Amino acid sequence: MSIRNKLILLILVLLTAISAVTGILFLHSEWSSISANSQRKNLQILLALAEVCKETHGSPKNSPAYTYFQTFLKTPEIIGVSCTDSSGRVFISDRYYRPFSSPSPFRLPLFFKTFSPPVTGVWETQQDNGVEILKASLSAVSNKGRQVTAHVDFSLQLINQEMDSSLRQSSAGFFIILSLAFAIGCIGTLIITRVIAGPMQTMAEAARMIGSGHLDHRIPVTSRDEMGMLAAEFNEMANRLKELDDMKSDFISSITHDLRSPVTGIELCSDLIKELAEKREYTRIPEQLFSINEHSQRLNRFIDSLLEVSKIESGKLELDIKTINLEELADRAVRSFRPYAAQKNLTIELIVGQEIPETRGDPDRLYQVLSNIIGNAVKFTNAGSVCVFIEAAPGWQQVRVRDTGVGIPEYEIKNLFSKFYRINSGRRGHPASRQGTGLGLFISKFIMEQHCGRIELESSPGKGSVFTVFLPAL
Ligand SMILES: Nc1ncnc2c1ncn2[C@@H]1O[C@H](COP(=O)(O)OP(=O)(O)OP(=O)(O)O)[C@@H](O)[C@H]1O
Ligand SMILES: [Mg+2]
């Protein structure tokens, strides 16, 4: 069952329950007030009759009280009225006086009807030839100082009929209003469920579209309520998914490219070796073997970087902290790049300003960071120099690598330490960019953070860059 139908069902059940409870409460309170009115009216009749009995006792038959006595019989519910004296003799009655019999309980037309007789007088019920009679009597002292008793017989059937018809009249209006309210509630339910379930359906449709690969699908944000917020969040999630998908595509295309070029190199060199061997030109073979070795090393570096990223991401990259000498590590890194720098006609020098005390760190990992930063400086510099300064400041030791290379535009700096990020790595980019994987700075940043250190960068395009590695001193 859809959420909309469930909501409709739930609200309808609630509406029905509320209507039923309201109806029962209304009928109960209405019946109580009708029944109280009826009792009050019957009591007034009994009190009035008691007054008449007092007046008529011992008075001549033509006294006005006798005329008044007749008026009681005009009330339809009254079956009979009489007055008796202290000896039980009937001195005035409209008909034959029936003595009291054993009382029988009331038979009430509605289950919630209750009867509480008025406190004044004696009230009992009696069956007479199948007719239910409510007998009421009240004693009083007559004008002549004698005790008289007034008796009224009411037809219970007529009393109940009158009460029922009053109840029917007053409840008719109420139930019309209740039905109208119920109908309005039903219409409201349909509107509310449409308002709530409509956006949900749109959301479900959008989720289905995204799930089936249409990552450009978005939900129009038409309100500022929770649904609007949900739609905005959904769109944000879709944007992120799209970004990740684009990154994945870029990653696959760049990784295939990065893997393909050394593999193709190895293949070409080995084909050439085969040809040379067939032609017995053995002297040219070592040159090809060097090339194969270079390509394999590049391939290995790439695979190592990928493995390192995977270690970083799974939290498995651990440091082997020892006492180290930063100057020694930097010197080793600079020396390893001398041949490369010489090949590009660049000067590369290490400048140590003062004596650098020993500190602690993982020597292999720190060497990896320095190699990457010095390697980058040589790789992205076509003319000029690369200078590596080692300095010690209170609390810190730092290695500053300054080059006169291509430089880095301001807007690229924030992305530079992200995975696989290379500036203009496409065909129009710096040719050196195409040789790297874009993982070096990502790994370096992580290693320095693990050492509680950091890497800072200043650069101006066309003029060169300065990368500074900060390592906490002992
Ligand atoms: N000194 C620099 N001058 C100019 N651009 C630089 C410099 N250092 C880094 N970059 C830019 O930052 C990018 C990211 O550098 P990073 O070291 O992460 O990757 P890479 O050198 O391309 O590849 P890898 O280090 O993984 O072999 C480089 O591709 C380059 O575009
Ligand atoms: Mg690099």
Side-chain angles (χ1 to χ4, degrees), residues 263-275 288 292:
V263 170
T264 313
I266 293 170
E267 197 184 342
L268 287 176
C269 292
S270 51
D271 281 350
L272 203 58
I273 290 173
K274 213 169 104 193
E275 267 177 42
Q288 299 308 319
I292 287 181

Side-chain angles (χ1 to χ4, degrees), residues 117-177:
V119 282
T120 320
V122 177
W123 297 79
E124 285 176 305
T125 57
Q126 189 184 0
Q127 286 267 347
D128 185 7
N129 289 332
V131 179
E132 278 185 318
I133 298 169
L134 173 62
K135 289 182 96 40
S137 60
L138 179 68
S139 296
V141 178
S142 75
N143 298 349
K144 304 218 163 47
R146 307 284 294 271
Q147 191 191 332
V148 290
T149 308
H151 302 271
V152 188
D153 287 4
F154 294 98
S155 159
L156 250 183
Q157 195 191 1
L158 286 181
I159 290 177
N160 280 338
Q161 266 174 14
E162 200 196 288
M163 281 165 67
D164 282 350
S165 91
S166 315
L167 184 67
R168 234 170 274 125
Q169 270 173 19
S170 60
S171 53
F174 173 78
F175 281 106
I176 289 171
I177 292 172

Side-chain angles (χ1 to χ4, degrees), residues 372 376 379-380 440-441:
N372 180 51
N376 281 352
K379 188 159 65 171
F380 297 104
L441 286 178

Side-chain angles (χ1 to χ4, degrees), residues 37-54:
N37 280 344
S38 161
Q39 285 162 19
R40 210 174 302 124
K41 185 180 148 200
N42 294 346
L43 182 62
Q44 274 164 4
I45 291 172
L46 184 62
L47 288 169
L49 180 67
E51 284 304 313
V52 172
C53 290
K54 273 155 65 178

Side-chain angles (χ1 to χ4, degrees), residues 359-420:
T359 185
R360 287 181 70 76
D362 182 330
D364 293 342
R365 294 292 173 197
L366 288 173
Y367 178 75
Q368 188 182 349
V369 173
L370 296 179
S371 291
N372 180 51
I373 286 175
I374 298 169
N376 281 352
V378 178
K379 188 159 65 171
F380 297 104
T381 305
N382 299 322
S385 62
V386 172
C387 288
V388 181
F389 301 89
I390 308 205
E391 287 146 8
W396 294 100
Q397 292 189 2
Q398 59 201 51
V399 180
R400 202 144 44 88
V401 181
R402 194 188 66 199
D403 65 56
T404 54
V406 291
I408 299 160
E410 176 82 33
Y411 62 88
E412 296 277 16
I413 290 179
K414 63 177 187 317
N415 298 320
L416 222 55
F417 294 88
S418 310
K419 252 186 307 183
F420 300 109

